[in-house]
Amino acid sequence: MRYKRSTMSSRLYSRAHSGAGLLLVLLFFSGCASHPWGDLVDEQQHTQLYGVYKQLVENNRGCSSAYDGELVATLDTPIQSTSMDGYFQILYPNYIKYVVNNPLGQPLFGVAAKGSWFQVLNIPDKTYSLVSHRSYALRNDIPKSFLGGSWFDWITGRPLAAKVKILEIRSAEEAGGMWFLIGTAEEEPRLLERVLVDVDQTLLLERVVIDREKNPLASITYRDWDEATGCKLPMSISISGLSFGARADLAFSEVKRAALGPKDFSLPHPPGFVKKVMP
């Protein structure tokens, strides 16, 4: 595991359980968001706008499949606000690791998602947890397919490109773009998300992850795009529509291309730590 200067405030250090909860909320958010989708475009507009989405996909085709950097994650709820400063790694399609250190540079918390499992390391509680997507989904009433979604695309602000098709396009001038309804490329497509695209700048502004009945699960908004890595990446992400009126804000910095593989997305099981397995 790589440790950097990322730190946690003393106030948050004293709230170990809140910190661990924040990591899980940020990794597996689920709630409800509401949007006015606008009117359907006509057939001619649909054809033209389909080309815009294809161009958006093409613009990202040569970009890196792995990044690392610093991440300040903040969760605001009606009860309290919690912030953590950590180091993240991400690899296509859905590998994520986020580690938070104390002011001395020692690890306090860590979450790593790999395949159909994720690990949670809680140093203050001396626990190491190995949790399956299936178990977490059942315990928290979250669609299992949501946990196995394309987290790399969601975090990097890229459009879904593999085996998907555009089911409908709606005008959203007041939002600054067009809403594209994206589904799987099957005879009976499974709904995946709606994305708001700025057709003039060919830029993805927002995405709303949805279930099979088109019900929004959460809304992800992208801002502060940066091209230091050679491709456009959002340095600020807001996640709204979370359960219980919560909102998450992610502020990235020092993001760079990284040479990562699946083996990099594991957390150690320290000696003497209680191991919890939820298959």
Side-chain angles (χ1 to χ4, degrees):
M1 189 191 307
R2 177 180 173 183
Y3 303 133
K4 297 188 72 176
R5 64 176 178 278
S6 305
T7 60
M8 176 187 290
S9 67
S10 58
R11 179 174 61 88
L12 182 56
Y13 183 82
S14 67
R15 295 208 304 253
H17 294 286
S18 295
L22 170 60
L23 287 175
L24 292 176
V25 169
L26 291 176
L27 189 58
F28 298 128
F29 52 79
S30 181
C32 180
S34 178
H35 288 75
W37 305 119
D39 299 324
L40 283 170
V41 302
D42 59 33
E43 186 175 344
Q44 181 178 358
Q45 288 178 302
H46 186 103
T47 301
Q48 294 173 341
L49 292 168
Y50 176 76
V52 172
Y53 190 88
K54 287 183 63 177
Q55 185 60 53
L56 182 59
V57 171
E58 188 62 31
N59 291 349
N60 287 278
R61 195 173 298 280
C63 296
S64 178
S65 61
Y67 295 96
D68 64 12
E70 302 291 324
L71 169 59
V72 177
T74 302
L75 179 67
D76 289 312
T77 72
I79 300 176
Q80 67 178 17
S81 178
T82 305
S83 183
M84 303 180 78
D85 186 347
Y87 170 72
F88 83 95
Q89 295 175 311
I90 188 167
L91 171 69
Y92 183 85
N94 56 5
Y95 295 92
I96 304 175
K97 184 161 69 175
Y98 185 48
V99 177
V100 177
N101 296 341
N102 66 17
L104 299 178
Q106 301 166 324
L108 281 176
F109 301 108
V111 171
K114 180 179 181 180
S116 59
W117 292 78
F118 67 92
Q119 304 161 289
V120 181
L121 181 62
N122 189 327
I123 302 297
D125 282 354
K126 292 188 175 182
T127 58
Y128 169 88
S129 302
L130 184 61
V131 186
S132 72
H133 288 180
R134 173 185 173 278
S135 177
Y136 194 84
L138 289 174
R139 291 168 183 263
N140 295 275
D141 193 26
I142 299 173
K144 181 176 178 293
S145 59
F146 181 71
L147 299 187
S150 184
W151 286 90
F152 182 88
D153 291 327
W154 294 349
I155 295 297
T156 59
R158 293 186 189 176
L160 297 182
K163 299 180 180 180
V164 299
K165 65 180 179 181
I166 298 171
L167 303 178
E168 67 178 36
I169 304 175
R170 293 179 177 270
S171 175
E173 294 182 3
E174 69 286 348
M178 296 283 181
W179 282 109
F180 291 70
L181 177 61
I182 309 299
T184 55
E186 301 168 341
E187 185 174 346
E188 295 185 7
R190 176 170 57 85
L191 300 179
L192 298 173
E193 64 180 12
R194 292 185 186 270
V195 293
L196 179 65
V197 177
D198 182 328
V199 297
D200 294 325
Q201 299 188 59
T202 319
L203 199 64
L204 200 158
L205 304 177
E206 183 179 356
R207 72 189 336 136
V208 178
V209 184
I210 59 179
D211 62 19
R212 293 175 181 269
E213 286 72 43
K214 297 186 181 181
N215 297 315
L217 298 175
S219 175
I220 310 171
T221 304
Y222 305 101
R223 299 183 305 277
D224 302 330
W225 292 82
D226 184 86
E227 296 187 65
T229 62
C231 290
K232 289 183 178 180
L233 289 173
M235 294 296 102
S236 298
I237 297 177
S238 295
I239 305 171
S240 58
L242 303 177
S243 297
F244 309 111
R247 170 192 171 95
D249 290 289
L250 311 181
F252 298 88
S253 61
E254 300 184 39
V255 179
K256 61 184 182 300
R257 294 169 179 254
L260 300 171
K263 62 180 178 60
D264 296 303
F265 292 82
S266 296
L267 295 174
H269 178 198
F273 276 51
V274 175
K275 183 176 183 178
K276 300 179 180 180
V277 179
M278 287 179 266

